Amino acid sequence: MDKNCLFCKIVTGDIPSQKVYEDETVVAFRDIDPQAPEHILLIPRRHIPTTLDLAAAERELVGHIFLVAGQLARKLGFAEAGFRIVNNCNAAGGQLVWHLHFHLLAGRQMGWPPG
Ligand code: 5GP
Ligand code: ZN
């Protein structure tokens, strides 16, 4: 827990959010500024700033996040139509919040290349 981190405060509930899933290691909640009809953020409870800060011991955690993303896609009804999972890392990657997160986007046709 980093006391200055927005997403750590969402994990603890100090900042409110629309949570759609949580377990011992992962929390998923709706993005405050959705870029698609469905826009969910999946985060580890533990404060890990970026993808580059992942340790080997966290490989299972990242795999778990992807399994949860697929479960949410099925549960929320957009699995068959399709979706996108995005991780922005550091400044040129477009990262704005320094707590590892994966965007789960769906509900419209995605473009390529991404912006
Ligand atoms: P990044 O650019 O770091 O990959 O994405 C950060 C995301 O966090 C953005 O999509 C932004 O809309 C979202 N976000 C920022 N502040 C809040 C907040 O207070 N609550 C929620 N639910 N999402 C937030
Ligand atoms: Zn944090």
PDB file of all heavy atoms in Angstrom, residues 1-9 11 43-49 97-100, ligand 2:
ATOM      1  N   MET A   1       0.857  -1.209   0.000  1.00  0.00           N
ATOM      2  CA  MET A   1       0.000   0.000   0.000  1.00  0.00           C
ATOM      3  C   MET A   1       0.883   1.246   0.000  1.00  0.00           C
ATOM      4  O   MET A   1       1.754   1.409   0.849  1.00  0.00           O
ATOM      5  CB  MET A   1      -0.897  -0.043   1.251  1.00  0.00           C
ATOM      6  CG  MET A   1      -1.550   1.291   1.629  1.00  0.00           C
ATOM      7  SD  MET A   1      -3.178   1.480   0.910  1.00  0.00           S
ATOM      8  CE  MET A   1      -3.456   3.236   1.119  1.00  0.00           C
ATOM      9  N   ASP A   2       0.639   2.115  -0.988  1.00  0.00           N
ATOM     10  CA  ASP A   2       1.343   3.405  -1.061  1.00  0.00           C
ATOM     11  C   ASP A   2       0.304   4.468  -0.729  1.00  0.00           C
ATOM     12  O   ASP A   2      -0.704   4.590  -1.417  1.00  0.00           O
ATOM     13  CB  ASP A   2       1.896   3.569  -2.477  1.00  0.00           C
ATOM     14  CG  ASP A   2       2.574   4.923  -2.706  1.00  0.00           C
ATOM     15  OD1 ASP A   2       2.227   5.910  -2.030  1.00  0.00           O
ATOM     16  OD2 ASP A   2       3.448   4.981  -3.585  1.00  0.00           O
ATOM     17  N   LYS A   3       0.547   5.232   0.329  1.00  0.00           N
ATOM     18  CA  LYS A   3      -0.499   6.147   0.820  1.00  0.00           C
ATOM     19  C   LYS A   3      -0.792   7.290  -0.156  1.00  0.00           C
ATOM     20  O   LYS A   3      -1.808   7.962  -0.020  1.00  0.00           O
ATOM     21  CB  LYS A   3      -0.152   6.679   2.208  1.00  0.00           C
ATOM     22  CG  LYS A   3       1.108   7.502   2.300  1.00  0.00           C
ATOM     23  CD  LYS A   3       1.286   7.991   3.734  1.00  0.00           C
ATOM     24  CE  LYS A   3       2.615   8.636   4.031  1.00  0.00           C
ATOM     25  NZ  LYS A   3       3.283   9.356   2.972  1.00  0.00           N
ATOM     26  N   ASN A   4       0.095   7.506  -1.127  1.00  0.00           N
ATOM     27  CA  ASN A   4      -0.156   8.556  -2.114  1.00  0.00           C
ATOM     28  C   ASN A   4      -0.751   8.018  -3.411  1.00  0.00           C
ATOM     29  O   ASN A   4      -0.910   8.777  -4.364  1.00  0.00           O
ATOM     30  CB  ASN A   4       1.157   9.297  -2.427  1.00  0.00           C
ATOM     31  CG  ASN A   4       1.699   9.994  -1.200  1.00  0.00           C
ATOM     32  OD1 ASN A   4       0.965  10.674  -0.489  1.00  0.00           O
ATOM     33  ND2 ASN A   4       2.980   9.795  -0.931  1.00  0.00           N
ATOM     34  N   CYS A   5      -1.062   6.724  -3.441  1.00  0.00           N
ATOM     35  CA  CYS A   5      -1.492   6.105  -4.700  1.00  0.00           C
ATOM     36  C   CYS A   5      -3.012   6.024  -4.792  1.00  0.00           C
ATOM     37  O   CYS A   5      -3.675   5.452  -3.930  1.00  0.00           O
ATOM     38  CB  CYS A   5      -0.874   4.708  -4.817  1.00  0.00           C
ATOM     39  SG  CYS A   5      -1.522   3.764  -6.210  1.00  0.00           S
ATOM     40  N   LEU A   6      -3.525   6.597  -5.883  1.00  0.00           N
ATOM     41  CA  LEU A   6      -4.967   6.606  -6.133  1.00  0.00           C
ATOM     42  C   LEU A   6      -5.564   5.194  -6.134  1.00  0.00           C
ATOM     43  O   LEU A   6      -6.606   4.952  -5.519  1.00  0.00           O
ATOM     44  CB  LEU A   6      -5.183   7.270  -7.502  1.00  0.00           C
ATOM     45  CG  LEU A   6      -6.579   7.390  -8.052  1.00  0.00           C
ATOM     46  CD1 LEU A   6      -7.384   8.368  -7.222  1.00  0.00           C
ATOM     47  CD2 LEU A   6      -6.532   7.820  -9.502  1.00  0.00           C
ATOM     48  N   PHE A   7      -4.926   4.264  -6.835  1.00  0.00           N
ATOM     49  CA  PHE A   7      -5.516   2.928  -6.960  1.00  0.00           C
ATOM     50  C   PHE A   7      -5.390   2.134  -5.650  1.00  0.00           C
ATOM     51  O   PHE A   7      -6.249   1.294  -5.361  1.00  0.00           O
ATOM     52  CB  PHE A   7      -4.917   2.166  -8.147  1.00  0.00           C
ATOM     53  CG  PHE A   7      -5.420   2.654  -9.492  1.00  0.00           C
ATOM     54  CD1 PHE A   7      -4.931   2.106 -10.667  1.00  0.00           C
ATOM     55  CD2 PHE A   7      -6.396   3.645  -9.589  1.00  0.00           C
ATOM     56  CE1 PHE A   7      -5.390   2.538 -11.911  1.00  0.00           C
ATOM     57  CE2 PHE A   7      -6.863   4.094 -10.828  1.00  0.00           C
ATOM     58  CZ  PHE A   7      -6.357   3.539 -11.990  1.00  0.00           C
ATOM     59  N   CYS A   8      -4.332   2.389  -4.846  1.00  0.00           N
ATOM     60  CA  CYS A   8      -4.284   1.773  -3.513  1.00  0.00           C
ATOM     61  C   CYS A   8      -5.483   2.240  -2.698  1.00  0.00           C
ATOM     62  O   CYS A   8      -6.084   1.459  -1.951  1.00  0.00           O
ATOM     63  CB  CYS A   8      -2.987   2.129  -2.796  1.00  0.00           C
ATOM     64  SG  CYS A   8      -1.551   1.183  -3.339  1.00  0.00           S
ATOM     65  N   LYS A   9      -5.866   3.520  -2.852  1.00  0.00           N
ATOM     66  CA  LYS A   9      -7.021   4.053  -2.108  1.00  0.00           C
ATOM     67  C   LYS A   9      -8.327   3.464  -2.638  1.00  0.00           C
ATOM     68  O   LYS A   9      -9.293   3.315  -1.888  1.00  0.00           O
ATOM     69  CB  LYS A   9      -7.042   5.580  -2.193  1.00  0.00           C
ATOM     70  CG  LYS A   9      -5.920   6.221  -1.390  1.00  0.00           C
ATOM     71  CD  LYS A   9      -5.939   7.727  -1.528  1.00  0.00           C
ATOM     72  CE  LYS A   9      -4.688   8.342  -0.922  1.00  0.00           C
ATOM     73  NZ  LYS A   9      -4.538   9.745  -1.309  1.00  0.00           N
ATOM     74  N   VAL A  11      -8.456   0.351  -3.764  1.00  0.00           N
ATOM     75  CA  VAL A  11      -8.419  -1.007  -3.175  1.00  0.00           C
ATOM     76  C   VAL A  11      -8.977  -0.986  -1.761  1.00  0.00           C
ATOM     77  O   VAL A  11      -9.806  -1.824  -1.384  1.00  0.00           O
ATOM     78  CB  VAL A  11      -6.973  -1.578  -3.183  1.00  0.00           C
ATOM     79  CG1 VAL A  11      -6.884  -2.836  -2.335  1.00  0.00           C
ATOM     80  CG2 VAL A  11      -6.511  -1.866  -4.600  1.00  0.00           C
ATOM     81  N   ILE A  43      -6.609  -4.503 -11.418  1.00  0.00           N
ATOM     82  CA  ILE A  43      -5.364  -4.168 -10.725  1.00  0.00           C
ATOM     83  C   ILE A  43      -5.034  -5.214  -9.662  1.00  0.00           C
ATOM     84  O   ILE A  43      -5.928  -5.818  -9.078  1.00  0.00           O
ATOM     85  CB  ILE A  43      -5.436  -2.758 -10.074  1.00  0.00           C
ATOM     86  CG1 ILE A  43      -6.416  -2.720  -8.899  1.00  0.00           C
ATOM     87  CG2 ILE A  43      -5.826  -1.705 -11.103  1.00  0.00           C
ATOM     88  CD1 ILE A  43      -6.385  -1.407  -8.119  1.00  0.00           C
ATOM     89  N   PRO A  44      -3.715  -5.380  -9.393  1.00  0.00           N
ATOM     90  CA  PRO A  44      -3.358  -6.188  -8.225  1.00  0.00           C
ATOM     91  C   PRO A  44      -3.635  -5.369  -6.968  1.00  0.00           C
ATOM     92  O   PRO A  44      -3.496  -4.139  -6.994  1.00  0.00           O
ATOM     93  CB  PRO A  44      -1.854  -6.417  -8.401  1.00  0.00           C
ATOM     94  CG  PRO A  44      -1.380  -5.293  -9.254  1.00  0.00           C
ATOM     95  CD  PRO A  44      -2.549  -4.848 -10.097  1.00  0.00           C
ATOM     96  N   ARG A  45      -4.030  -6.015  -5.878  1.00  0.00           N
ATOM     97  CA  ARG A  45      -4.178  -5.289  -4.605  1.00  0.00           C
ATOM     98  C   ARG A  45      -2.852  -4.673  -4.188  1.00  0.00           C
ATOM     99  O   ARG A  45      -2.817  -3.556  -3.682  1.00  0.00           O
ATOM    100  CB  ARG A  45      -4.624  -6.242  -3.492  1.00  0.00           C
ATOM    101  CG  ARG A  45      -6.081  -6.589  -3.550  1.00  0.00           C
ATOM    102  CD  ARG A  45      -6.500  -7.384  -2.327  1.00  0.00           C
ATOM    103  NE  ARG A  45      -7.880  -7.769  -2.469  1.00  0.00           N
ATOM    104  CZ  ARG A  45      -8.919  -7.008  -2.110  1.00  0.00           C
ATOM    105  NH1 ARG A  45      -8.725  -5.839  -1.561  1.00  0.00           N
ATOM    106  NH2 ARG A  45     -10.149  -7.423  -2.300  1.00  0.00           N
ATOM    107  N   ARG A  46      -1.774  -5.430  -4.404  1.00  0.00           N
ATOM    108  CA  ARG A  46      -0.434  -4.975  -4.016  1.00  0.00           C
ATOM    109  C   ARG A  46       0.003  -3.800  -4.899  1.00  0.00           C
ATOM    110  O   ARG A  46      -0.262  -3.787  -6.104  1.00  0.00           O
ATOM    111  CB  ARG A  46       0.534  -6.140  -4.191  1.00  0.00           C
ATOM    112  CG  ARG A  46       1.933  -5.879  -3.725  1.00  0.00           C
ATOM    113  CD  ARG A  46       2.811  -7.098  -3.975  1.00  0.00           C
ATOM    114  NE  ARG A  46       2.163  -8.325  -3.548  1.00  0.00           N
ATOM    115  CZ  ARG A  46       2.478  -9.540  -4.039  1.00  0.00           C
ATOM    116  NH1 ARG A  46       3.384  -9.664  -4.966  1.00  0.00           N
ATOM    117  NH2 ARG A  46       1.852 -10.605  -3.593  1.00  0.00           N
ATOM    118  N   HIS A  47       0.673  -2.839  -4.307  1.00  0.00           N
ATOM    119  CA  HIS A  47       1.166  -1.692  -5.071  1.00  0.00           C
ATOM    120  C   HIS A  47       2.408  -2.077  -5.874  1.00  0.00           C
ATOM    121  O   HIS A  47       3.489  -2.258  -5.329  1.00  0.00           O
ATOM    122  CB  HIS A  47       1.498  -0.515  -4.142  1.00  0.00           C
ATOM    123  CG  HIS A  47       1.967   0.695  -4.890  1.00  0.00           C
ATOM    124  ND1 HIS A  47       1.103   1.536  -5.553  1.00  0.00           N
ATOM    125  CD2 HIS A  47       3.216   1.175  -5.123  1.00  0.00           C
ATOM    126  CE1 HIS A  47       1.802   2.495  -6.142  1.00  0.00           C
ATOM    127  NE2 HIS A  47       3.080   2.300  -5.901  1.00  0.00           N
ATOM    128  N   ILE A  48       2.208  -2.211  -7.188  1.00  0.00           N
ATOM    129  CA  ILE A  48       3.306  -2.466  -8.134  1.00  0.00           C
ATOM    130  C   ILE A  48       3.211  -1.321  -9.138  1.00  0.00           C
ATOM    131  O   ILE A  48       2.189  -1.193  -9.820  1.00  0.00           O
ATOM    132  CB  ILE A  48       3.108  -3.819  -8.853  1.00  0.00           C
ATOM    133  CG1 ILE A  48       3.065  -4.982  -7.845  1.00  0.00           C
ATOM    134  CG2 ILE A  48       4.196  -4.049  -9.897  1.00  0.00           C
ATOM    135  CD1 ILE A  48       2.557  -6.302  -8.427  1.00  0.00           C
ATOM    136  N   PRO A  49       4.207  -0.427  -9.230  1.00  0.00           N
ATOM    137  CA  PRO A  49       4.038   0.776 -10.049  1.00  0.00           C
ATOM    138  C   PRO A  49       3.816   0.509 -11.549  1.00  0.00           C
ATOM    139  O   PRO A  49       2.910   1.084 -12.148  1.00  0.00           O
ATOM    140  CB  PRO A  49       5.327   1.575  -9.802  1.00  0.00           C
ATOM    141  CG  PRO A  49       5.808   1.113  -8.457  1.00  0.00           C
ATOM    142  CD  PRO A  49       5.437  -0.344  -8.397  1.00  0.00           C
ATOM    143  N   VAL A  97      -1.426   6.602 -14.159  1.00  0.00           N
ATOM    144  CA  VAL A  97      -1.544   6.172 -12.756  1.00  0.00           C
ATOM    145  C   VAL A  97      -0.488   5.097 -12.509  1.00  0.00           C
ATOM    146  O   VAL A  97      -0.422   4.098 -13.235  1.00  0.00           O
ATOM    147  CB  VAL A  97      -2.960   5.623 -12.451  1.00  0.00           C
ATOM    148  CG1 VAL A  97      -3.034   5.120 -11.006  1.00  0.00           C
ATOM    149  CG2 VAL A  97      -4.020   6.706 -12.679  1.00  0.00           C
ATOM    150  N   TRP A  98       0.314   5.324 -11.445  1.00  0.00           N
ATOM    151  CA  TRP A  98       1.508   4.506 -11.228  1.00  0.00           C
ATOM    152  C   TRP A  98       1.230   3.354 -10.274  1.00  0.00           C
ATOM    153  O   TRP A  98       1.930   3.153  -9.282  1.00  0.00           O
ATOM    154  CB  TRP A  98       2.675   5.409 -10.804  1.00  0.00           C
ATOM    155  CG  TRP A  98       2.873   6.434 -11.864  1.00  0.00           C
ATOM    156  CD1 TRP A  98       2.301   7.680 -11.918  1.00  0.00           C
ATOM    157  CD2 TRP A  98       3.574   6.280 -13.098  1.00  0.00           C
ATOM    158  NE1 TRP A  98       2.634   8.295 -13.112  1.00  0.00           N
ATOM    159  CE2 TRP A  98       3.414   7.466 -13.844  1.00  0.00           C
ATOM    160  CE3 TRP A  98       4.336   5.237 -13.658  1.00  0.00           C
ATOM    161  CZ2 TRP A  98       3.978   7.641 -15.110  1.00  0.00           C
ATOM    162  CZ3 TRP A  98       4.906   5.427 -14.914  1.00  0.00           C
ATOM    163  CH2 TRP A  98       4.719   6.609 -15.615  1.00  0.00           C
ATOM    164  N   HIS A  99       0.194   2.626 -10.615  1.00  0.00           N
ATOM    165  CA  HIS A  99      -0.144   1.349  -9.950  1.00  0.00           C
ATOM    166  C   HIS A  99      -0.582   0.452 -11.101  1.00  0.00           C
ATOM    167  O   HIS A  99      -1.557   0.771 -11.803  1.00  0.00           O
ATOM    168  CB  HIS A  99      -1.267   1.588  -8.932  1.00  0.00           C
ATOM    169  CG  HIS A  99      -1.718   0.370  -8.172  1.00  0.00           C
ATOM    170  ND1 HIS A  99      -1.850   0.361  -6.795  1.00  0.00           N
ATOM    171  CD2 HIS A  99      -2.116  -0.860  -8.598  1.00  0.00           C
ATOM    172  CE1 HIS A  99      -2.282  -0.827  -6.399  1.00  0.00           C
ATOM    173  NE2 HIS A  99      -2.458  -1.585  -7.476  1.00  0.00           N
ATOM    174  N   LEU A 100       0.137  -0.638 -11.306  1.00  0.00           N
ATOM    175  CA  LEU A 100      -0.091  -1.528 -12.447  1.00  0.00           C
ATOM    176  C   LEU A 100      -1.575  -1.781 -12.679  1.00  0.00           C
ATOM    177  O   LEU A 100      -2.313  -2.101 -11.742  1.00  0.00           O
ATOM    178  CB  LEU A 100       0.617  -2.862 -12.183  1.00  0.00           C
ATOM    179  CG  LEU A 100       0.489  -3.930 -13.275  1.00  0.00           C
ATOM    180  CD1 LEU A 100       1.236  -3.505 -14.538  1.00  0.00           C
ATOM    181  CD2 LEU A 100       1.028  -5.267 -12.770  1.00  0.00           C
TER     182      LEU A 100
HETATM  183 ZN    ZN B   2      -0.933   1.695  -5.500  1.00  0.00          ZN
END
